[in-house]
Amino acid sequence: MTEVETGQATQDAPWLTPEQQQEWRALMELVTVLPGAIDVQLRRDAGINTFEYQILAVLSSQPRCTQGLSDLAAAVLGSPSRLSHALTRLQRAGWVERRDCTELGGRRAEATLTEGGLAKIRDTAPGHVREVRRLVVDTLTAAELEALGAIARKIVAGPVAADVHVCTEQS
């Protein structure tokens, strides 16, 4: 029998305690259920997915509503390929323009939010914020929300960040 079959941990992979398993499962439920719930609202109310919304939101916060594609991919935690596919959909809708540009002698591509894209994010944001409040913000106390944010930043800044960086570079 293997360690898994007998329930035995190894030195380099100790089992989680029952309490740790309970908390880990709760986190896995959260990261499985919450993105889908947010996506359902955005698709239903705005006809876009969460990734596309993030692209529009990031671009709307940039000077001239423009950002280089590599910086945009990093900001939305997407691979260049995933970003390219999403930008194609957003371009077809008339919300984003892509163009090549030269900056300091180098060659870059950038995305710019169109007037239509700016209108789209302005129309979409209130419903999205209402859903974020309903699902997360209003269910927690201010202290719990602050702790959740701190915990999320700590996890994302740790080994997860290195793993995501490697995955997006290879895509």
Side-chain angles (χ1 to χ4, degrees), residues 1 18 35 40-41 79 106 134 159 163:
M1 283 192 164
V40 163
Q41 179 273 320
S79 69
R134 185 181 77 82
D163 292 348

Side-chain angles (χ1 to χ4, degrees), residues 120-164:
K120 180 65 172 178
I121 194 71
R122 285 182 181 147
D123 291 344
T124 304
H128 177 65
V129 170
R130 274 192 301 279
E131 191 69 349
V132 168
R133 286 182 96 33
R134 185 181 77 82
L135 295 173
V136 179
V137 175
D138 294 345
T139 66
L140 302 173
T141 66
E144 289 169 333
L145 184 60
E146 184 179 343
L148 178 62
I151 291 165
R153 284 185 293 278
K154 185 175 183 176
I155 291 170
V156 170
V160 171
D163 292 348
V164 168

Side-chain angles (χ1 to χ4, degrees), residues 23-41:
E23 302 309 333
W24 173 248
R25 288 185 181 135
L27 176 61
M28 290 309 300
E29 286 180 41
L30 173 67
V31 300
T32 301
V33 172
L34 186 60
I38 296 292
D39 207 55
V40 163
Q41 179 273 320

